[in-house]
């Protein structure tokens, strides 16, 4: 699966001078205080010794079997000598995992799952790793985006370990220190230090990441910094009907030209597929669309679905022997969406409880046997800590491989190519109109985000000036700001007919995006309408209230768009975009925006648009509506 290429001009240089010339061309000054930061090579012999020493160090790190064994989390922390319930079981699982790890996660298996991506990104990454070695230099910056899996739902070596400390991003950070920092340099240097940005959130898909990009970009640009690496792990939460992944990839490449983008494909059963699908090389639609984007932009790919396929179905002896040793068991990522008791009895009903009926439960047909220690559903979407460790190790291996290639150390490369920045492809992987509809607002006029704005004013029966000028106002019913233990903050209603108003600053042709919760349970539909407000009338415009609720049933009186909060599985955030250019594929959306823009032209001097959302769930048990973010651009 190795794939280093670029759609750009190259300059071929002698191998011995490759890395030195690359760094010089990119204005990288490796020499400081008469020494380079790796291997202690002096300036006098840098050309003859430095590259060989660095490459030797890097190549040695690619032997996964030599990496340190995993230590039970309490034994890594000082002051945790007192054993508690579950510690003995946790330690024994760690011991069993250490025995199995080198047989399961081999270099051959990882090689099947990774694609290194483009040479320009690899060289840029290598340059930044070298730069970050100077004591005064800016640390390497790595961001991680993801969802409930990435935050560590169901992850814990025992019941006390915090989920985020157990999750693969934290394990990756520790592994980098254990493997890379301790090998490439010495204890007195600040070699390969990293500034980690953990941006994962529960139920976060690529559409949610799109809302976070403007502030992330502004933060780095305002400090004259760049984001060096971003690891995208939002696949479980992505609605593949819209190419949001491609939309954010394009923005990242535009804003951070040297960035290394690592895109993960999870090893859930839906992505892995059946034996027949493996034999016919058939991929799920989700995997196919993801790979199409990854290949189109030459991203670095880590495909755990492909790795799981080889472990389950490949006839190669290395994999067949593992299946004989652990018959009927998943080894990398759980493939059976059930739990079992210690005696092998399968639970007939799904439970979030780690000890239903007071008995410990485990991931069914998975080795090593791992006890459930946290309260979370969906055992394949939320796998045990051992899967998180495999993910962390695989991502680290991928980073080291990219570093080796960027340094020109790969044995198969006879000349080091110094490549120029490839231009962003004009063509898109998905339909261009679909990609354009996934609008990423880089310069928002207004953003109301329930994660940072808890304020909400009750305007029912109160139409005072201060109420009208508030950004978030309940004008009828039970809307309120809520959050939960998983930090899924939002403005929520459970009562049909309830109205809430959001006031947004706008330009002449505003594009407005709305992020809301869609779920397999509890959540239903809602209607959205817009009311333009002129600058002179901003404090005088009366609020729509309970007397206006019935008007939503008449498109002439209140033009509106109904959005569905229903999903067949899971509870995930969804985003809908109301385009200011009236180019939606949806006729009703176009009509709503056309009428809104017409009214804006008639009133003139428009400063705000009020967005009203009505809970329309009068029948059935799906009465809940929840909104998280509204952005005008």
């Amino acid at each position: 699966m190795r794939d280093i290429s670029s759609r750009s001009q190259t300059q071929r240089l002698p191998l011995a001078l490759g890395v030195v010339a690359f760094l010089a061309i990119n204005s990288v000054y490796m020499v400081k205080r008469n020494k380079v930061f790796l291997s202690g090579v002096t300036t006098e012999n840098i050309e003859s010794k430095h590259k060989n020493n660095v490459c030797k160090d890097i190549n040695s790190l690619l032997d996964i079997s030599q990496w340190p064994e995993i230590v039970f989390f309490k034994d890594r922390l000082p002051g945790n000598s007192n054993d508690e319930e579950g510690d003995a079981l946790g330690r024994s699982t760690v011991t069993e995992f250490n025995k199995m790890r080198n047989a399961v996660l081999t270099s051959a298996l990882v090689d099947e799952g990774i694609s290194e991506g483009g040479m320009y990104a690899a060289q840029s990454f290598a340059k930044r790793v070298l730069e970050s070695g100077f004591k005064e230099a800016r640390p390497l910056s790595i961001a991680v985006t993801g969802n409930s899996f990435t935050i560590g739902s169901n992850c814990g070596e025992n019941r006390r370990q915090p989920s985020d400390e157990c999750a693969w991003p934290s394990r990756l950070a520790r592994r980098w220190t254990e493997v890379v920092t301790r090998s490439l340099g010495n204890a007195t240097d600040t070699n390969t230090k990293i500034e980690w940005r953990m941006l994962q959130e529960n139920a976060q898909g690529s559409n949610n990441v799109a809302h976070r990009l403007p502030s992330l970009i502004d933060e780095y640009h305002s400090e004259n910094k760049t984001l060096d690496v971003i690891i995208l792990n939002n696949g479980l939460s992505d609605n593949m009907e819209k190419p949001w992944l491609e939309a954010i990839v394009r923005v990242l490449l535009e804003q951070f030209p040297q960035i290394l983008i690592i895109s993960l494909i999870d090893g859930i059963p839906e992505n892995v597929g059946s034996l027949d699908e493996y034999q016919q090389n058939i991929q799920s639609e989700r995997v196919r669309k993801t790979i199409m984007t990854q290949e189109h932009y030459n991203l670095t790919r880590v495909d755990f679905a492909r790795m799981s396929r080889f472990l389950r179905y490949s006839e190669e002896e290395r994999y067949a022997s593992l299946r004989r040793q652990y018959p009927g068991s998943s080894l990398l990522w759980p493939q059976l969406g059930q739990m079992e008791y210690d005696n092998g009895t399968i639970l007939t009903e799904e439970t979030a409880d780690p000890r239903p009926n007071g008995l410990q439960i485990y991931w069914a047909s998975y080795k090593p046997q791992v006890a459930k220690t946290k309260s979370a559903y969906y055992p394949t979407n939320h796998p045990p800590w051992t899967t998180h460790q495999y993910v962390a190790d695989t991502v680290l291996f991928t980073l080291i491989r990219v570093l080796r290639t960027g340094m020109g150390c790969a044995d198969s490369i006879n000349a080091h190519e110094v490549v120029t920045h490839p231009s962003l492809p004009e063509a898109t992987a998905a339909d261009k109109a679909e990609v354009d509809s996934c609008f990423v607002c880089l310069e928002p006029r207004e953003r109301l985000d329930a994660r940072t704005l808890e304020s909400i004013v009750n305007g029912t029966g109160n139409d005072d000036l201060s109420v009208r000028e508030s950004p978030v106002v309940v004008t009828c019913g039970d809307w309120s700001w809520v959050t939960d233990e998983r930090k899924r903050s939002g403005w929520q209603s459970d009562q049909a007919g309830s109205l809430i108003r959001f006031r947004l600053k706008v330009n002449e042709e505003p594009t407005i995006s709305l992020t809301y919760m869609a779920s397999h349970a509890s959540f239903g539909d809602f209607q959205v309408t817009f009311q333009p407000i002129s600058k002179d009338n901003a404090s005088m415009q009366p609020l729509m209230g309970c007397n206006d609720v019935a008007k939503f049933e008449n498109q002439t009186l209140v033009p509106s768009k109904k959005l569905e909060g229903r999903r067949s599985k899971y509870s995930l955030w969804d985003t809908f975009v109301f385009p200011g250019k009236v180019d939606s594929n949806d006729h009703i959306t176009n009509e709503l925006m056309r009428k809104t823009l017409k009214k804006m032209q008639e009133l003139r001097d428009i400063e705000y648009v009020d967005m009203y959302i009505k809970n329309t769930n009068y029948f059935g048990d799906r009465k809940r509506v929840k909104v998280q973010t509204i952005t005008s651009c």
Side-chain angles (χ1 to χ4, degrees):
M1 292 296 291
R2 188 173 182 278
D3 178 24
I4 285 289
S5 61
S6 72
R7 296 176 295 276
S8 55
Q9 296 177 346
T10 62
Q11 178 181 0
R12 294 187 176 272
L13 303 168
L15 178 62
L17 301 179
V19 68
V20 178
F22 162 62
L23 294 171
I25 287 172
N26 288 277
S27 301
V28 178
Y29 298 95
M30 293 172 55
V31 181
K32 194 172 183 77
R33 296 195 181 96
N34 206 39
K35 287 189 177 182
V36 293
F37 88 97
L38 289 178
S39 303
V41 183
T42 61
T43 56
E44 287 76 11
N45 57 5
I46 181 173
E47 291 185 3
S48 61
K49 293 182 63 178
H50 173 67
K51 183 176 185 296
N52 289 336
N53 287 342
V54 173
C55 290
K56 181 179 179 181
D57 289 342
I58 293 174
N59 283 323
S60 69
L61 300 184
L62 291 172
D63 184 355
I64 302 177
S65 66
Q66 298 303 306
W67 292 3
E69 291 190 338
I70 304 305
V71 178
F72 181 60
F73 97 100
K74 286 185 67 174
D75 297 337
R76 289 188 284 104
L77 306 175
N80 281 292
S81 57
N82 295 330
D83 277 359
E84 301 172 276
E85 181 183 5
D87 284 0
L89 180 58
R91 285 192 179 92
S92 67
T93 305
V94 169
T95 299
E96 184 63 22
F97 174 78
N98 284 327
K99 292 177 180 178
M100 294 178 57
R101 181 178 65 91
N102 291 335
V104 176
L105 196 69
T106 61
S107 297
L109 179 65
V110 175
D111 208 40
E112 293 293 344
I114 69 174
S115 176
E116 293 178 37
M119 177 65 81
Y120 181 79
Q123 290 182 340
S124 298
F125 175 63
K127 180 187 73 171
R128 283 293 300 122
V129 170
L130 293 174
E131 286 179 332
S132 67
F134 299 142
K135 291 183 179 180
E136 296 84 358
R138 176 175 63 84
L140 191 72
S141 59
I142 300 180
V144 179
T145 73
N147 43 41
S148 55
F149 163 58
T150 324
I151 66 176
S153 292
N154 252 350
C155 189
E157 294 170 23
N158 70 356
R159 301 181 74 172
R160 183 175 289 276
Q161 185 180 26
S163 295
D164 58 348
E165 205 264 357
C166 176
W168 73 256
S170 294
R171 291 177 181 272
L172 173 62
R174 288 195 295 273
R175 273 307 213 195
W176 181 280
T177 300
E178 293 172 351
V179 176
V180 179
T181 302
R182 293 179 184 175
S183 297
L184 301 184
N186 57 63
T188 61
D189 286 336
T190 55
N191 291 346
T192 62
K193 59 186 178 182
I194 295 182
E195 177 185 83
W196 293 93
R197 293 296 305 277
M198 303 302 187
L199 304 176
Q200 60 269 34
E201 287 186 358
N202 188 71
Q204 179 177 248
S206 295
N207 58 322
N208 303 97
V209 176
H211 281 299
R212 303 189 69 167
L213 283 182
S215 59
L216 185 69
I217 292 168
D218 182 66
E219 174 188 338
Y220 278 92
H221 286 179
S222 64
E223 299 178 7
N224 197 28
K225 298 193 302 184
T226 186
L227 181 59
D228 300 312
V229 181
I230 190 166
I231 306 173
L232 304 176
N233 187 205
N234 300 92
L236 289 176
S237 302
D238 275 349
N239 179 354
M240 302 307 291
E241 295 178 3
K242 290 282 190 178
W244 280 103
L245 172 62
E246 182 170 6
I248 65 172
V249 165
R250 291 184 70 87
V251 171
L252 287 166
L253 291 174
E254 286 175 340
Q255 298 296 318
F256 304 111
Q258 294 181 314
I259 194 170
L260 174 68
I261 301 178
I262 302 178
S263 176
L264 273 55
I265 298 176
D266 300 303
I268 58 174
E270 294 91 330
N271 290 347
V272 174
S274 66
L275 175 60
D276 287 344
E277 290 171 325
Y278 169 76
Q279 292 173 338
Q280 299 177 50
N281 197 28
I282 296 174
Q283 297 169 328
S284 71
E285 188 71 358
R286 177 180 296 274
V287 171
R288 186 189 68 80
K289 287 183 176 180
T290 302
I291 291 178
M292 182 173 66
T293 297
Q294 293 167 336
E295 292 182 344
H296 188 78
Y297 297 97
N298 216 3
L299 306 183
T300 301
R301 176 168 73 244
V302 183
D303 189 344
F304 295 101
R306 180 177 171 86
M307 293 165 66
S308 295
R309 276 187 160 200
F310 271 76
L311 284 171
R312 288 178 66 80
Y313 306 129
S314 174
E315 295 180 357
E316 292 184 42
E317 178 58 25
R318 62 166 61 99
Y319 305 120
S321 63
L322 278 173
R323 292 196 294 273
R324 290 193 297 270
Q325 185 176 357
Y326 304 102
S329 297
S330 306
L331 300 177
L332 181 72
W333 200 297
Q335 296 299 302
L336 186 62
Q338 293 175 294
M339 307 296 290
E340 64 184 11
Y341 292 108
D342 193 27
N343 63 4
T345 302
I346 299 291
L347 273 71
T348 56
E349 295 183 1
E350 187 174 11
T351 176
D353 188 354
R355 296 178 66 89
N357 306 315
L359 300 175
Q360 182 65 61
I361 58 175
Y362 305 81
W363 272 262
S365 301
Y366 179 82
K367 296 297 180 184
Q369 189 180 50
V370 185
K372 180 178 171 67
T373 60
K374 307 291 182 181
S375 294
Y377 290 100
Y378 310 121
T380 56
N381 286 9
H382 303 141
W385 70 262
T386 49
T387 297
H388 283 264
Q389 190 63 56
Y390 285 134
V391 171
D393 287 357
T394 304
V395 173
L396 179 61
F397 183 93
T398 305
L399 285 168
I400 298 171
R401 275 276 295 269
V402 172
L403 175 62
R404 181 183 71 166
T405 298
M407 289 287 295
C409 301
D411 294 337
S412 60
I413 297 179
N414 295 320
H416 188 67
E417 297 179 347
V418 179
V419 301
T420 57
H421 174 228
S423 59
L424 185 69
E426 291 186 13
T428 55
D431 179 77
K432 190 175 187 306
E434 287 293 307
V435 176
D436 290 343
S437 71
C438 298
F439 182 69
V440 181
C441 180
L442 296 181
E443 297 180 358
R445 292 297 305 276
E446 186 84 77
R447 174 178 286 111
L448 303 177
D449 191 331
R451 291 169 294 187
T452 57
L453 178 66
E454 300 181 16
S455 172
I456 185 169
V457 174
N458 189 345
T460 56
N462 181 4
D463 202 8
D464 293 341
L465 176 62
S466 61
V467 172
R468 295 179 197 171
E469 294 180 340
S470 299
V472 185
V473 181
V474 181
T475 63
C476 184
D478 71 337
W479 284 93
S480 62
W481 181 88
V482 300
T483 191
D484 58 21
E485 71 281 356
R486 295 157 77 180
K487 298 181 181 179
R488 294 181 296 185
S489 303
W491 294 285
Q492 181 171 295
S493 168
D494 290 285
Q495 179 181 317
S498 296
L499 270 182
I500 189 170
R501 191 217 68 186
F502 300 95
R503 174 154 289 185
L504 305 167
K505 290 182 180 179
V506 294
N507 57 21
E508 294 179 354
E509 286 187 347
T511 291
I512 299 173
S513 61
L514 169 67
T515 297
Y516 59 94
M517 178 62 73
S519 175
H520 66 103
S522 303
F523 288 80
D525 304 338
F526 57 95
Q527 286 174 277
V528 179
T529 192
F530 302 109
Q531 187 177 69
I533 308 294
S534 67
K535 187 174 183 179
D536 295 337
N537 203 32
S539 61
M540 303 300 293
Q541 181 71 34
L543 297 171
M544 295 178 66
C546 294
N547 292 334
D548 300 295
V549 168
K551 297 177 184 177
F552 277 75
E553 306 309 314
N554 187 325
Q555 286 289 333
T556 302
L557 294 175
V558 178
S560 65
K561 166 68 178 177
K562 179 179 284 189
L563 297 177
E564 294 186 358
R566 303 162 187 261
R567 292 179 59 93
S568 59
K569 293 177 67 176
Y570 314 132
S571 296
L572 303 172
W573 297 110
D574 206 347
T575 296
F576 192 87
V577 177
F578 298 89
K581 296 185 181 297
V582 194
D583 56 2
S584 171
N585 293 328
D586 179 74
H587 171 72
I588 295 177
T589 302
N590 282 338
E591 281 299 300
L592 171 59
M593 295 306 295
R594 185 177 289 112
K595 291 177 180 179
T596 301
L597 293 173
K598 181 180 179 182
K599 190 172 182 180
M600 290 175 65
Q601 294 169 0
E602 292 172 350
L603 291 174
R604 301 179 183 276
D605 198 21
I606 296 297
E607 186 173 18
Y608 301 100
V609 162
D610 285 350
M611 171 191 277
Y612 283 88
I613 298 179
K614 173 193 170 185
N615 184 331
T616 62
N617 302 294
Y618 290 94
F619 307 104
D621 57 355
R622 289 175 169 264
K623 296 185 180 299
R624 178 166 293 175
V625 178
K626 189 174 187 178
V627 174
Q628 185 184 73
T629 310
I630 306 99
T631 302
S632 66
C633 195

